[in-house]
Amino acid sequence: MKIPPARYPSPLGRMQATPMDVEATKRQGWREQHILVISHDDERLDFMERQLIRSIGERLYGQVHGHAHGHSQPKGGGHG
């Protein structure tokens, strides 16, 4: 008679990260809290939408690092 070896669950198994569905998280954030997370490079955007996203991002959070024009800090208090 063969007895299978006992398998003890590793305590490290609880520490493994669970894969996250990023798009589902973004969708939930928008639907529940009206928070929009979108990349300027999202292929679903057309040229004008990308420009709008860049403009809003730069106004609220400052210039993207690596771009020659503008400041790296947002203008104003950013509370608005």
Side-chain angles (χ1 to χ4, degrees):
M1 179 168 134
K2 273 189 162 179
I3 299 174
R7 297 192 179 200
Y8 298 100
S10 170
L12 296 176
R14 288 178 277 160
M15 300 186 77
Q16 289 182 332
T18 304
M20 176 193 288
D21 183 346
V22 176
E23 286 300 313
T25 302
K26 291 179 189 181
R27 190 170 30 258
Q28 180 181 7
W30 172 249
R31 291 178 179 170
E32 294 178 8
Q33 299 179 12
H34 303 127
I35 295 172
L36 180 61
V37 178
I38 188 161
S39 170
H40 169 267
D41 299 323
D42 191 311
E43 294 177 355
R44 296 171 289 186
L45 301 175
D46 65 25
F47 176 78
M48 293 302 293
E49 291 166 333
R50 287 185 178 137
Q51 291 302 110
L52 179 60
I53 295 296
R54 177 179 292 278
S55 177
I56 292 169
E58 289 177 354
R59 185 175 138 247
L60 296 177
Y61 304 113
Q63 190 69 32
V64 176
H65 293 292
H67 291 270
H69 64 284
H71 301 290
S72 61
Q73 294 296 320
K75 296 178 183 175
H79 298 288

